[in-house]
Amino acid sequence: MDRTKTEVLRYLGRRRQAVPAELDALVESCMALMRETAAPRHVWRTFDVEDRADGLAPAGTELMLPGQDIRRCLTGCRRVALLAATLGVGADTLIRRWEHTDLTRALVLDACATQLIEEVCDEAERAVEADADMKSAGRFSPGYGDLPLTLQPGFLAVLDAGRRIGLTCTESLILLPRKSVTALIGLGGRARPAAGRCESCAARGVCDFAKRGEVCP
């Protein structure tokens, strides 16, 4: 089974389980449809890491990165990249359309979109590494650990993400389109094990992925 399908099934809570032929076929058709419908775009900028009196910051911006978790993630990093990625409004529309008529298909499409946006972020992360000629220390998003979601408006403004890729956020800090990601990428530091994210996650103790011995996307 290829990695994409394995990950989609993981999001559906079906990892290490026998997969009925009907579900297997549904995942394949939904992934194909999502790839056909989505319009992936991403934007990123890199900055020196500036250590100010009230926290870390991308140098030359007004964006502060408060909290101890992002400080730990950027330990030893000389640069940090701000990344925003989206699948576009088409992915959201496709999922909503099926929610009214076939909830199972809508759930599978949602899982496919989650996997696809991760692939987009992985591709962008490789481009960031190549451009900076530095290894990534891993991605860390607003909302993880003690890095607040309230960063989102300023984060998107630094990237001019609304104009460049059509990505905005609501007053309640929900990204629009919904299948979008913002993340910080430390550069030049020590790679952070994926499992290490759980130690600082606000969802620790209630996370379904952790209960299954897995890590979230």
Side-chain angles (χ1 to χ4, degrees), residues 178-189:
R178 295 292 298 271
K179 287 301 178 184
S180 302
V181 167
T182 57
L184 295 144
I185 303 171
L187 296 164

Side-chain angles (χ1 to χ4, degrees), residues 24-47:
D24 187 83
L26 181 59
V27 169
E28 282 198 9
S29 67
C30 285
M31 197 66 205
L33 182 57
M34 185 54 69
R35 289 190 189 281
E36 179 182 319
T37 304
R41 302 179 73 187
H42 62 75
V43 60
W44 49 269
R45 292 179 63 190
T46 58
F47 304 85

Side-chain angles (χ1 to χ4, degrees), residues 64-171:
M64 293 300 303
L65 306 176
Q68 293 305 307
D69 294 325
I70 189 63
R71 182 174 287 278
R72 277 193 290 271
C73 290
L74 295 182
T75 298
C77 293
R78 289 172 285 155
R79 303 273 289 173
V80 61
L82 273 60
L83 166 68
T86 181
L87 296 185
V89 296
D92 291 356
T93 302
L94 178 64
I95 294 168
R96 282 200 304 271
R97 184 190 311 156
W98 283 100
E99 284 175 346
H100 298 297
T101 57
D102 187 338
L103 188 56
T104 298
R105 185 177 295 272
L107 289 171
V108 175
L109 283 166
D110 190 278
C112 291
T114 299
Q115 171 57 18
L116 186 54
I117 191 64
E118 283 302 305
E119 291 178 10
V120 173
C121 289
D122 289 345
E123 178 184 346
E125 188 172 353
R126 288 191 291 271
V128 169
E129 287 182 308
D131 183 73
D133 194 22
M134 294 179 183
K135 287 292 184 184
S136 166
R139 299 196 295 265
F140 199 87
S141 291
Y144 284 4
D146 61 359
L147 187 65
L149 271 177
T150 50
L151 285 181
Q152 296 287 37
F155 193 112
L156 296 174
V158 169
L159 293 174
D160 195 14
R163 183 183 66 81
R164 297 178 69 186
I165 62 172
L167 176 56
T168 60
C169 73
T170 67
E171 291 184 355

